[in-house]
Amino acid sequence: MTQQTTIAIVGAGAWGTALAKVLAAAQRPVTLIARDDVIAAEIARTRINPKLAGVRLDDTIAVTSDIAQAADATIVLIATPAQSLRSAVTALAPHAAAGVPLVACAKGIEHGTRKFMTEVIGEVAPNARPAILSGPSFADDVARGLPTAVTIASRNESEAAQLAQSLRAAAFRPYHTDDVKGVEIGGAAKNVLAIAAGIVAGKGLGDSAAAALTTRGFAELSRFGRALGARPETLMGLSGLGDLILSCSSAQSRNFAFGTALGRGEAVANAAHGKLAEGVFTAPVLVEMARAGNVEMPIATAVTAILSGKITLDEAIESLLTRPLRAET
């Protein structure tokens, strides 16, 4: 008899809540696990998460702050920010069944260790099976049932295919691949490049500059990905080019919105307006890794220098415009 798919989602932010809603609508038993007792109790009582206003959770979704409730899940989604994933998996590891897929739903690189999300999972929970969910998607669109396509990656392609099947819903379509590195690189690098795109928009540099930024940004992403062993077709897919295009053009992208605020003259410390922009944390690590691999990433380097206060926006733009001309690659 086939085991029923049961899903635990660790992280009750907007993304975790959206995933809970869409999967519950697809008749999957879902448990949403919040970090805070008070928040969990309020969501359970009202069926509304303030981080995803206007979206009501189905009554079948269990909401708790007890991470031990993940013990019976056949799939666990880790929907915390990238820099919080290690602590979340550390708390989860004693309760997760051996061999259960732990699917990272964050896009980033861990500070200090330079590890991608599945690498953190593998280190903290060695008995689990790490996977990654990434691609062009916004929590509000997913929660509203709008058509969305994402990528599920696992080192075992048949396992990735099974996860994609288990997580599919009417308007939520996961593709699958075994190119974990390509999916993680695309998701992490695009966050940094989206900040640059936002700066272009905020400074009113025009559509031509925005198009150039996106295409040259993709060239950087591709160079970095190839240097780390990612496959070109993955970088060209949903979790690479697709995610980059969306994140570099939509006000729903927190990284783009952060960059837009910078472009309009707001200080780095104020530009986030209380909303997490993962690219801020990823930028310096991405540049460190690029330099270590002798990979040229001038746009990501300029973003990192702006965030650290080493150069102004105008200086960064001038440095990019005055770089030596080169062949299109």
Side-chain angles (χ1 to χ4, degrees):
M1 183 175 178
T2 303
Q3 184 180 20
Q4 182 185 33
T5 298
T6 56
I7 298 169
I9 301 173
V10 178
W15 187 221
T17 302
L19 289 170
K21 180 171 177 59
V22 73
L23 293 170
Q27 307 302 309
R28 310 291 199 280
V30 175
T31 299
L32 179 63
I33 302 172
R35 180 175 56 183
D36 184 271
D37 294 347
V38 174
I39 291 173
E42 185 65 12
I43 295 173
R45 183 182 67 82
T46 64
R47 313 311 294 176
I48 299 290
N49 186 340
K51 294 184 179 180
L52 199 59
V55 174
R56 188 182 189 284
L57 291 179
D58 191 275
D59 290 340
T60 63
I61 298 172
V63 184
T64 181
S65 61
D66 182 7
I67 202 165
Q69 295 298 311
D72 296 328
T74 57
I75 300 173
V76 180
L77 306 182
I78 314 297
T80 63
Q83 304 308 318
S84 303
L85 183 132
R86 181 179 289 273
S87 61
V89 177
T90 298
L92 172 67
H95 308 290
V100 69
L102 300 189
V103 185
C105 301
K107 305 168 184 179
I109 308 170
E110 188 178 48
H111 267 253
T113 66
R114 299 183 184 177
K115 291 183 182 293
F116 289 95
M117 300 296 94
T118 60
E119 293 173 329
V120 174
I121 292 172
E123 181 179 298
V124 177
N127 293 324
R129 293 183 290 171
I132 180 83
L133 184 154
S134 189
S137 55
F138 292 126
D140 186 63
D141 291 348
V142 171
R144 291 167 57 201
L146 299 179
T148 304
V150 296
T151 301
I152 297 281
S154 169
R155 290 180 179 84
N156 183 299
E157 186 166 10
S158 64
E159 178 176 289
Q162 291 172 2
L163 284 170
Q165 186 64 36
S166 297
L167 298 175
R168 70 176 301 176
F172 188 73
R173 181 179 178 85
Y175 289 78
H176 67 272
T177 180
D178 62 356
D179 185 9
V180 174
K181 189 68 71 177
V183 170
E184 295 206 272
I185 287 170
K190 68 86 184 173
N191 283 337
V192 180
L193 299 167
I195 293 175
I199 291 171
V200 168
K203 284 194 70 69
L205 298 181
D207 293 340
S208 298
L213 184 283
T214 303
T215 52
R216 294 314 304 165
F218 179 66
E220 291 192 16
L221 184 157
S222 297
R223 283 197 297 270
F224 183 75
R226 291 195 302 269
L228 270 66
R231 296 200 295 261
E233 62 268 26
T234 305
L235 301 174
M236 284 292 294
L238 289 168
S239 54
L241 180 59
D243 207 355
L244 177 66
I245 291 172
L246 182 66
S247 296
C248 287
S249 60
S250 175
Q252 287 194 67
S253 166
R254 292 180 179 180
N255 295 288
F256 181 83
F258 174 81
T260 300
L262 291 181
R264 290 173 178 163
E266 293 191 34
V268 171
N270 301 326
H273 300 287
K275 296 183 177 180
L276 176 68
E278 285 280 13
V280 174
F281 303 100
T282 302
V285 188
L286 182 67
V287 170
E288 287 173 8
M289 294 176 70
R291 287 173 177 163
N294 198 29
V295 178
E296 189 178 22
M297 299 188 75
I299 297 173
T301 300
V303 169
T304 301
I306 291 168
L307 295 176
S308 66
K310 292 181 179 178
I311 59 174
T312 65
L313 295 185
D314 290 336
E315 288 170 341
I317 292 167
E318 182 181 1
S319 70
L320 290 172
L321 292 176
T322 56
R323 293 180 69 247
L325 298 177
R326 56 177 294 170
E328 174 77 284
T329 57

